[in-house]
Amino acid sequence: MDDPRVTEDRVLGGRVRLRQKADGYRAGMDAALLAAACDALPGQRVLEPGCGVGGALLAAATRRPEVLFQGVERDPIAAALATENADLNVLSDRVSIQAGDIDSGFRALGLPVFDAVMTNPPFFDDPGTLRAPHPAKSGAWMADGGLKAWTTFCLKAVREGGTITIIHRADRLADILAQLAPKAGSFRIRPIAPFADAPAKRVIVRAIKTGKAPLVLLPPLVLHDRDGGKHSAQAEAILRGEAALGW
């Protein structure tokens, strides 16, 4: 902790220590929700493309103590911090980090396919739709190859019958479904709304590769109460690791 450019935070009710850059992209609510949505079974292998410093990956590994996790990250500083965080949380026996760029495709990693993929892709792929982010955050906010590169990667990375879980902007839901639909189905969609009377700003989409079941739109997760509370009771329980985001 002698580096002022790196802070150490605690997430999942203090169970996970997370070192991350002070001026870069910082793991927050989206990472916590993605980890809570992971329902991998004991012995299964889970991949997170674009894992950053490991916010979602390590929380999911803590929630799922008999599951193996692999992170892929192209930013060498973030990848190094993710590896350090795995060691810091005594999870390096089940959590591995590999350097890699999503735009290069899954085969470039030289890894066997996974039982599940979970990911929080960059939210923007058109610089014109977003004020220029801080340079330290641009890689996390801007997808060079577009959302299509991420969905293609996920479809290649998971076995038939395996799951793909994506958290993204609600206004990209149609694109996510269209891009996954040729090879995946059995969609289950969880809207994430800031308040009960407000439109959802995020969605978590879960798909099964080669799945054929009808699409299911689940009840929304409401993050905040209007009475001044920081988080709703359900959201607080998820953030503390006391509840999962079930399917």
Side-chain angles (χ1 to χ4, degrees), residues 3-232:
D3 187 345
R5 297 168 298 178
V6 175
T7 65
E8 182 177 311
D9 305 288
R10 289 186 177 265
V11 299
L12 204 68
R15 293 158 64 192
V16 174
R17 297 166 64 186
L18 197 65
R19 301 198 73 205
Q20 49 190 337
K21 292 175 66 177
D23 62 352
Y25 177 82
R26 298 173 63 79
M29 177 66 76
D30 292 340
L33 295 178
L34 183 62
C38 177
D39 60 351
L41 300 175
Q44 290 190 326
R45 298 168 56 251
V46 179
L47 174 69
E48 186 188 2
C51 68
V53 300
L57 200 67
L58 297 171
T62 302
R63 286 174 172 273
R64 301 278 167 179
E66 298 180 44
V67 176
L68 302 177
F69 289 87
Q70 173 76 56
V72 175
E73 176 55 49
R74 72 174 184 177
D75 178 356
I77 296 177
L81 283 170
T83 299
E84 182 179 338
N85 285 329
D87 292 337
L88 189 64
N89 290 279
V90 197
L91 289 170
S92 55
D93 60 330
R94 293 191 298 112
V95 178
S96 301
I97 310 299
Q98 181 167 330
D101 193 331
I102 305 309
D103 292 342
S104 298
F106 176 70
R107 290 182 181 176
L109 299 177
L111 297 171
V113 293
F114 288 77
D115 299 295
V117 176
M118 58 181 232
T119 188
N120 178 15
F123 280 174
F124 300 92
D125 47 27
D126 177 4
T129 66
L130 178 72
R131 291 183 181 178
H134 188 285
K137 301 180 181 181
S138 61
W141 283 101
M142 301 299 300
D144 294 342
L147 182 59
K148 182 66 174 177
W150 288 76
T151 54
T152 298
F153 183 97
C154 290
L155 287 167
K156 293 287 187 182
V158 72
R159 62 170 173 81
E160 291 190 4
T163 61
I164 298 169
T165 305
I166 299 176
I167 186 168
H168 211 278
R169 291 161 35 203
D171 63 352
R172 297 302 302 272
L173 176 58
D175 295 323
I176 293 170
L177 297 180
Q179 291 172 17
L180 291 177
K183 295 185 178 180
S186 303
F187 293 106
R188 300 182 76 86
I189 302 165
R190 176 82 66 183
I192 309 295
F195 299 100
D197 57 355
K201 291 188 175 181
R202 300 279 188 272
V203 288
I204 303 181
V205 178
R206 184 178 184 270
I208 297 178
K209 188 171 179 178
T210 68
K212 303 297 183 184
L215 181 150
V216 175
L217 183 61
L218 298 165
L221 170 65
V222 177
L223 297 179
H224 305 286
D225 296 322
R226 289 288 191 187
D227 62 6
K230 183 176 181 181
H231 295 115
S232 67

